[in-house]
């Protein structure tokens, strides 16, 4: 069963989340501030990190940067802030999803399962593609089987969410996906919530792989970047 690290300074929340995840069969470790959280992640090598945004020591954004530097561990960010900017920054530094407090334990467990499923620790939706196939988008190559990405044959670190977005677009070159379709396909959300989180992940991908890797189709959404291809409506 998967190991989850919780980094949260509010003890009531940390212990409630830990108890709920343990009852679901997860192995859970808890840290109460930024520096000890980073140490804990490096020590136990978890399958997923639940990370509070506001933490003593240094905040969740800095924790996210540091733990993502070593390897792409999925991060679910918790926040009491209602500032959208903070959330977008969180997603840009490598968080895969977020929950705003107060949240229901059931919602949290559902998100944890969804993230783990996506990154292949419990049935990867991408595993239905031929395992050995490499997706090519110009200078970028993606290997769904190993979840490795390269730019001009040099390895590039992508978060699980960034990888999934690019793999989804790259699998259907020329097809335009709306933000709502991406949210539904990648995150499993059906209510169109958080369309701007898609923009934030796309920005991160462009920073890492070049502006041309994903094309904005104004008023519609996004497509894999290739000027040669004519966009056509997807599942309209
Ligand atoms: Ca806090």
């Amino acid at each position: 069963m998967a190991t989850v690290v919780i980094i949260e300074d509010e003890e009531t929340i940390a212990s409630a989340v830990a108890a709920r995840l343990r009852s679901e069969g997860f192995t859970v470790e808890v840290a109460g501030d930024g520096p000890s959280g980073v140490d804990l992640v490096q020590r136990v090598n978890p399958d997923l990190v639940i990370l509070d945004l506001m933490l003593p020591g240094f905040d969740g954004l800095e924790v996210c940067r540091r733990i993502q530097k070593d390897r792409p561990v999925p991060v679910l960010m918790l926040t009491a802030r209602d500032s959208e900017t903070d959330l977008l920054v969180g997603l840009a530094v490598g968080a895969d999803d977020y929950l705003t407090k107060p949240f229901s334990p059931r919602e949290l467990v559902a998100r944890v399962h969804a993230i783990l499923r996506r990154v292949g620790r419990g049935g990867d939706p991408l595993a239905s593609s031929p395992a050995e196939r490499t997706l090519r988008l110009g200078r970028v190559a993606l290997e769904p089987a190993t979840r490795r990405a390269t730019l001009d044959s040099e390895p590039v670190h992508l978060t699980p969410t960034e990888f999934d977005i690019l793999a989804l677009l790259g699998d259907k070159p020329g097809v335009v996906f709306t933000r709502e379709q991406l949210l539904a396909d990648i995150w499993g959300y059906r209510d169109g919530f958080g369309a701007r989180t898609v923009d934030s992940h796309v920005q991160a991908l462009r920073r890492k792989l070049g502006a041309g890797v994903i094309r904005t189709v104004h008023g519609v959404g996004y497509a894999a970047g290739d000027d040669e291809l004519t966009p056509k409506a997807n599942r309209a």
Side-chain angles (χ1 to χ4, degrees):
M1 199 60 195
T3 299
V4 177
V5 160
I6 300 169
I7 309 175
E8 164 66 89
D9 58 313
E10 288 168 74
E11 270 178 42
T12 49
I13 294 177
S15 54
V17 169
R20 179 67 190 232
L21 289 174
R22 283 185 185 120
S23 79
E24 297 275 329
F26 290 99
T27 302
V28 181
E29 304 263 0
V30 180
D33 61 64
S36 65
V38 172
D39 289 346
L40 184 60
V41 168
Q42 282 162 352
R43 202 166 65 241
V44 307
N45 218 10
D47 299 287
L48 180 128
V49 176
I50 296 175
L51 177 59
D52 187 32
L53 189 54
M54 296 287 280
L55 288 168
F58 41 74
D59 69 12
L61 299 180
E62 183 59 27
V63 172
C64 202
R65 280 189 201 97
R66 294 193 189 197
I67 63 180
Q68 294 283 357
K69 213 186 286 179
D70 301 331
R71 71 181 188 106
V73 60
V75 173
L76 173 61
M77 201 163 259
L78 305 180
T79 175
R81 295 184 188 176
D82 52 10
S83 156
E84 200 178 23
T85 309
D86 292 324
L87 293 174
L88 294 179
V89 171
L91 295 172
V93 298
D96 290 282
D97 200 355
Y98 67 89
L99 274 176
T100 304
K101 297 175 190 173
F103 51 83
S104 77
R106 199 155 52 101
E107 176 70 4
L108 177 114
V109 169
R111 296 289 183 92
V112 166
H113 281 299
I115 295 173
L116 291 175
R117 207 162 41 238
R118 276 202 286 124
V119 299
R121 297 166 169 104
D124 186 357
L126 290 171
S128 54
S129 343
E132 298 306 318
R133 194 163 56 113
T134 300
L135 291 172
R136 295 197 180 279
L137 300 90
R139 299 153 57 206
V140 179
L142 299 178
E143 281 178 30
T146 57
R147 303 187 67 82
R148 272 202 282 262
T150 56
L151 172 66
D152 294 334
S153 304
E154 291 293 318
V156 178
H157 164 76
L158 299 183
T159 70
T161 297
E162 289 162 7
F163 189 96
D164 287 346
I165 289 174
L166 204 53
L168 187 65
L169 296 177
D171 195 42
K172 294 190 170 120
V175 174
V176 182
F177 287 77
T178 66
R179 291 170 177 79
E180 290 72 24
Q181 282 171 341
L182 289 170
L183 282 167
D185 285 354
I186 305 283
W187 285 270
Y189 301 162
R190 297 288 162 192
D191 56 2
F193 136 91
R196 283 193 60 197
T197 66
V198 176
D199 300 349
S200 168
H201 287 292
V202 167
Q203 282 164 22
L205 280 165
R206 285 175 174 155
R207 265 200 311 278
K208 292 177 181 181
L209 301 172
V213 70
I214 292 176
R215 204 157 42 85
T216 300
V217 181
H218 288 289
V220 186
Y222 293 110
D226 189 337
D227 294 337
E228 305 290 306
L229 295 159
T230 311
K232 47 182 186 280
N234 177 47
R235 285 180 277 163

